[in-house]
Coordinates of all heavy atoms in Angstrom, one line a residue:
L215 N 6.5 29.3 -11.8 CA 6.2 29.0 -13.2 C 5.0 28.1 -13.4 O 4.8 27.5 -14.4 CB 7.4 28.3 -13.9 CG 8.7 29.1 -13.9 CD1 9.8 28.3 -14.5 CD2 8.5 30.4 -14.8
M218 N 2.9 26.5 -16.7 CA 3.7 26.5 -17.9 C 4.1 25.0 -18.2 O 4.1 24.2 -17.4 CB 5.0 27.3 -17.8 CG 4.7 28.8 -17.5 SD 6.1 29.9 -17.8 CE 6.2 29.8 -19.5
D219 N 4.3 24.8 -19.5 CA 4.8 23.5 -19.9 C 5.9 23.6 -20.9 O 6.1 24.6 -21.5 CB 3.6 22.6 -20.5 CG 3.1 23.2 -21.8 OD1 2.5 24.2 -21.9 OD2 3.5 22.6 -22.8
G220 N 6.7 22.5 -21.0 CA 7.8 22.5 -21.9 C 8.4 21.1 -22.1 O 7.8 20.1 -21.7
I221 N 9.7 21.1 -22.6 CA 10.4 19.9 -22.9 C 11.6 19.8 -22.0 O 12.3 20.8 -21.8 CB 10.8 19.8 -24.3 CG1 9.6 19.9 -25.2 CG2 11.5 18.4 -24.6 CD1 8.5 18.7 -25.0
W223 N 15.2 19.4 -21.1 CA 16.5 19.5 -21.9 C 17.6 18.7 -21.1 O 18.5 18.2 -21.7 CB 16.9 20.9 -22.1 CG 16.0 21.6 -23.1 CD1 15.0 21.1 -23.8 CD2 16.1 23.0 -23.5 NE1 14.5 22.1 -24.7 CE2 15.1 23.3 -24.5 CE3 17.0 24.1 -23.1 CZ2 15.0 24.5 -25.1 CZ3 16.8 25.3 -23.7 CH2 15.8 25.5 -24.7
E231 N 16.1 20.9 -16.2 CA 16.3 22.1 -17.1 C 15.2 21.9 -18.1 O 15.2 20.9 -18.9 CB 17.7 22.1 -17.7 CG 17.9 23.3 -18.6 CD 19.3 23.4 -19.2 OE1 20.1 22.6 -18.7 OE2 19.4 24.2 -20.2
V232 N 14.2 22.8 -18.2 CA 13.1 22.7 -19.1 C 13.1 23.8 -20.1 O 13.3 25.0 -19.7 CB 11.8 22.7 -18.3 CG1 10.6 22.5 -19.2 CG2 11.8 21.6 -17.2
G233 N 12.9 23.5 -21.3 CA 12.7 24.5 -22.4 C 11.3 24.9 -22.5 O 10.4 24.1 -22.8
V234 N 11.0 26.1 -22.2 CA 9.7 26.7 -22.3 C 9.6 27.8 -23.3 O 10.6 28.5 -23.6 CB 9.2 27.1 -20.9 CG1 9.2 26.0 -19.9 CG2 10.0 28.3 -20.4
H235 N 8.4 28.1 -23.8 CA 8.3 29.2 -24.7 C 7.9 30.5 -24.0 O 6.8 30.6 -23.4 CB 7.2 28.8 -25.8 CG 7.3 29.6 -27.0 ND1 8.3 29.5 -27.9 CD2 6.4 30.5 -27.5 CE1 8.1 30.3 -28.9 NE2 7.0 31.0 -28.7
L236 N 8.8 31.4 -24.0 CA 8.5 32.7 -23.3 C 8.9 33.8 -24.2 O 10.0 33.8 -24.9 CB 9.4 32.8 -22.0 CG 8.8 32.1 -20.8 CD1 9.9 32.2 -19.7 CD2 7.5 32.6 -20.3
F237 N 8.1 34.8 -24.3 CA 8.3 36.1 -25.0 C 8.7 35.8 -26.5 O 9.7 36.4 -27.0 CB 9.5 36.9 -24.4 CG 9.2 37.1 -22.9 CD1 10.1 36.5 -21.9 CD2 8.1 37.8 -22.4 CE1 9.9 36.7 -20.6 CE2 7.9 38.0 -21.1 CZ 8.8 37.4 -20.2
G238 N 8.0 34.8 -27.1 CA 8.3 34.5 -28.5 C 9.5 33.6 -28.8 O 9.8 33.4 -29.9
Q239 N 10.1 33.1 -27.7 CA 11.3 32.2 -28.0 C 11.4 31.2 -27.0 O 10.8 31.3 -25.9 CB 12.6 33.1 -28.0 CG 12.8 33.8 -26.7 CD 14.1 34.6 -26.8 OE1 15.0 34.4 -27.6 NE2 14.1 35.7 -26.0
D240 N 12.1 30.1 -27.3 CA 12.4 29.0 -26.3 C 13.5 29.4 -25.4 O 14.6 29.8 -25.9 CB 12.7 27.7 -27.1 CG 11.5 27.2 -27.8 OD1 10.4 27.4 -27.3 OD2 11.7 26.5 -28.8
V241 N 13.3 29.3 -24.1 CA 14.3 29.6 -23.1 C 14.4 28.5 -22.2 O 13.5 27.7 -22.0 CB 14.0 30.9 -22.4 CG1 14.0 32.1 -23.3 CG2 12.7 30.8 -21.6
S242 N 15.6 28.4 -21.5 CA 15.8 27.4 -20.5 C 15.5 27.9 -19.1 O 16.0 28.9 -18.7 CB 17.3 26.9 -20.6 OG 17.6 26.0 -19.6
V243 N 14.8 27.1 -18.3 CA 14.6 27.4 -16.9 C 14.8 26.2 -16.1 O 14.7 25.0 -16.6 CB 13.1 27.9 -16.7 CG1 12.8 29.2 -17.4 CG2 12.1 26.8 -17.1
E244 N 15.3 26.4 -14.9 CA 15.5 25.3 -13.9 C 14.3 25.2 -13.0 O 13.9 26.2 -12.4 CB 16.8 25.5 -13.2 CG 18.1 25.3 -14.1 CD 19.3 25.2 -13.2 OE1 19.3 25.6 -12.1 OE2 20.4 24.7 -13.8

Side-chain angles (χ1 to χ4, degrees):
L215 298 176
M218 302 196 69
D219 68 285
I221 302 299
W223 287 359
E231 182 181 347
V232 181
V234 300
H235 199 68
L236 278 176
F237 310 115
Q239 60 182 338
D240 290 332
V241 298
S242 171
V243 296
E244 289 190 345

